[in-house]
Amino acid sequence: MPTVFVINDSGHNFEDAKRFGPLVTLTEGQVNPFHTDRLLAFIEGRLSMSKPEDLLLLCGTPILNTIAAVVFHKKHGTLNVLIWDAKRREYKNATVIERKSELVCQT
């Protein structure tokens, strides 16, 4: 079963995401978005154990999501994310893959 990496746990309810796999928190609470060098090093370390089938749960400040997405894609050549569907009150998964130097999004 894939692991779900919660990019930033700031107190939201992530219960529905557990149906995709066990949750692992990358960062918690407030994070200084201007320390990008530290954030990059920290997230690279936390995602070093990730596998191509794992997922990133998008949450928190946009810079954290961007750094985690770039690190994950660079490591695996694919990007699996969970996105909150507010209307259905559940997470949906989407995958971005690279095919012949083009990015393709599959939901």
Side-chain angles (χ1 to χ4, degrees):
M1 181 171 249
T3 298
V4 176
F5 289 95
V6 177
I7 295 175
N8 181 260
D9 185 351
S10 57
H12 295 287
N13 183 350
F14 300 115
E15 193 63 32
D16 182 62
K18 291 179 180 177
R19 64 190 170 96
F20 294 92
L23 307 183
V24 172
T25 300
L26 294 182
T27 65
E28 290 186 56
Q30 286 189 315
V31 175
N32 188 333
F34 299 105
H35 292 160
T36 53
D37 55 339
R38 293 182 198 160
L39 293 173
L40 175 61
F42 184 78
I43 290 173
E44 280 179 325
R46 297 287 288 157
L47 288 176
S48 65
M49 63 180 167
S50 68
K51 302 176 297 300
E53 64 270 16
D54 292 339
L55 301 116
L56 297 179
L57 189 149
L58 300 179
C59 57
T61 183
I63 193 67
L64 284 175
N65 289 304
T66 303
I67 291 170
V70 168
V71 168
F72 193 93
H73 184 268
K74 185 177 177 184
K75 179 177 170 79
H76 301 296
T78 188
L79 175 62
N80 310 305
V81 296
L82 291 180
I83 305 166
W84 179 248
D85 183 336
K87 186 175 182 178
R88 294 186 178 202
R89 311 223 19 98
E90 67 182 12
Y91 283 98
K92 303 265 182 167
N93 63 332
T95 300
V96 178
I97 58 172
E98 190 172 350
R99 260 193 224 140
K100 298 181 183 176
S101 300
E102 291 181 1
L103 294 178
V104 179
C105 186
Q106 302 169 332
T107 54

